Amino acid sequence: MTEISMLRQVQLKQLEIAKEIKKICDENEIKYFLDSGTLLGAVRHKSFIPWDDDLDIGMLRDDYEKFINIAPQKLSNNFILQTWKTDEEYANAFAKIRMKNTLYIESSTNGNNMNHGIFIDVFPYDTYPNKKYQRFYQGIMLTFYKRILKVKCNYFNPKNYNFTFIGIIKKTTYYLLKGLSLFVSKNQLIKSHDKCAKKYNGIGSKFYYEQTGGTPYGKWLVPRECFNKYIDLQFEDTIFSCPLHYDLYLTSIYGNYMQLPPKEERYNKHEIIKIEIGE
């Protein structure tokens, strides 16, 4: 089986998951939108970006909380909700919907015992504060909580760090965080993270920011007006909800998003090391 055909099979499984999320949201009045590269794919290709290996859904915080509360009861039997509260070794501040009886193992999580099924990400968006000192403090604290949670959940292997200056810094930081993580529970860290992340929700602000796994705080900012209204756009064989002002969203994130990247940048970037499609 070629790499291209395998990628396409993964995309179609991810599309099945997205349709399940859409169904739950439509039936329960939950607002959602195609997010990041998936939104770009809908606008530029009306489908997946041909070399993309994931599918992303976004929700503002209130809709996200509603979704993760009802998803366990509403999901069909071949899907599961994964959050850092439902899976002891999962450490991200966003949810994944996984397909049972499949494998899709990322290099960053190889070696821990969480569920590794084919997934799509569901990202919550929170308010990005207007004042610089608020951003500074929030950025430091969220980075700390996310890092220590990943160390606690075995996302990193210190053996992978070489003996360069940077490698030694990374290894030292790892062992420091590992030691600190022994004195605080995962639930305590999650509560502290969420309190910090949601601190400015409900106040007037120019931007929302996405709770991601690896993107630095303050880098992924979307203008608030992007989420005032939504529009239906074609993605593959299905209509999905998207921000009405998708041009503003995509321009803010990608710049000239209609221009294809150079050929050497057209590759999947999730470092998947093992795939099993299932039945």
Side-chain angles (χ1 to χ4, degrees):
M1 184 179 295
T2 67
E3 181 181 349
I4 293 176
S5 64
M6 176 63 79
L7 173 61
R8 185 56 181 161
Q9 288 189 62
V10 169
Q11 289 177 341
L12 292 176
K13 293 293 186 183
Q14 292 170 335
L15 183 60
E16 286 183 45
I17 304 172
K19 291 177 181 179
E20 180 75 4
I21 294 175
K22 168 183 165 64
K23 178 176 178 290
I24 292 173
C25 290
D26 288 347
E27 291 178 350
N28 293 276
E29 298 183 347
I30 297 173
K31 294 179 180 178
Y32 74 93
F33 50 91
L34 297 186
D35 186 62
S36 56
T38 308
L39 177 60
L40 174 56
V43 173
R44 194 171 67 193
H45 305 274
K46 296 186 178 179
S47 63
F48 284 92
I49 297 172
W51 53 90
D52 205 1
D53 61 348
D54 74 338
L55 195 160
D56 298 325
I57 298 287
M59 300 177 187
L60 299 186
R61 174 62 71 170
D62 287 347
D63 290 297
Y64 173 84
E65 299 287 357
K66 183 177 180 180
F67 175 78
I68 63 172
N69 283 332
I70 69 170
Q73 294 78 42
K74 300 294 184 179
L75 285 167
S76 301
N77 290 334
N78 53 329
F79 305 108
I80 65 163
L81 170 72
Q82 183 181 56
T83 70
W84 53 13
K85 293 182 180 180
T86 67
D87 192 320
E88 187 60 32
E89 293 207 17
Y90 181 73
N92 283 314
F94 55 90
K96 292 180 185 286
I97 304 298
R98 300 250 187 198
M99 180 176 285
K100 296 179 181 178
N101 302 315
T102 64
L103 276 180
Y104 199 57
I105 302 178
E106 299 173 274
S107 62
S108 61
T109 57
N110 185 35
N112 74 11
N113 295 316
M114 72 179 187
N115 185 294
H116 289 285
I118 291 174
F119 65 87
I120 71 174
D121 294 322
V122 183
F123 294 110
Y125 276 67
D126 292 303
T127 297
Y128 186 68
N130 286 319
K131 297 180 179 179
K132 289 184 178 180
Y133 77 89
Q134 294 172 331
R135 298 172 185 171
F136 178 77
Y137 176 77
Q138 188 179 54
I140 288 177
M141 296 310 298
L142 289 181
T143 300
F144 170 75
Y145 291 134
K146 288 177 179 178
R147 190 75 179 181
I148 195 172
L149 276 160
K150 287 189 173 183
V151 168
K152 192 174 184 69
C153 293
N154 304 310
Y155 271 55
F156 305 108
N157 185 346
K159 294 180 180 179
N160 294 333
Y161 301 138
N162 55 35
F163 285 97
T164 62
F165 177 75
I166 297 300
I168 292 171
I169 293 295
K170 287 182 177 180
K171 183 172 287 192
T172 302
T173 302
Y174 170 86
Y175 283 115
L176 176 62
L177 291 174
K178 193 69 173 178
L180 290 173
S181 74
L182 298 176
F183 296 96
V184 60
S185 71
K186 184 182 180 186
N187 283 338
Q188 288 174 309
L189 290 170
I190 290 171
K191 287 179 181 178
S192 296
H193 174 279
D194 281 353
K195 182 178 179 181
C196 182
K198 297 185 282 188
K199 184 175 182 178
Y200 302 104
N201 289 353
I203 68 170
S205 175
K206 295 180 180 179
F207 299 100
Y208 284 105
Y209 72 101
E210 182 184 68
Q211 297 295 346
T212 65
T215 304
Y217 173 85
K219 185 175 181 180
W220 192 280
L221 300 177
V222 180
R224 192 178 193 89
E225 58 264 38
C226 290
F227 306 118
N228 290 340
K229 293 182 179 180
Y230 296 88
I231 189 175
D232 290 336
L233 294 179
Q234 185 83 30
F235 183 83
E236 297 283 345
D237 61 355
T238 305
I239 299 296
F240 288 95
S241 178
C242 299
L244 174 62
H245 300 297
Y246 58 80
D247 179 71
L248 176 61
Y249 178 112
L250 294 171
T251 301
S252 299
I253 300 300
Y254 300 110
N256 183 10
Y257 60 89
M258 293 303 289
Q259 180 176 335
L260 292 174
K263 288 186 178 180
E264 61 270 20
E265 295 181 16
R266 300 177 195 177
Y267 61 93
N268 48 68
K269 300 179 180 180
H270 279 69
E271 297 183 355
I272 305 301
I273 62 175
K274 186 174 183 179
I275 300 174
E276 292 182 9
I277 298 296
E279 298 295 331

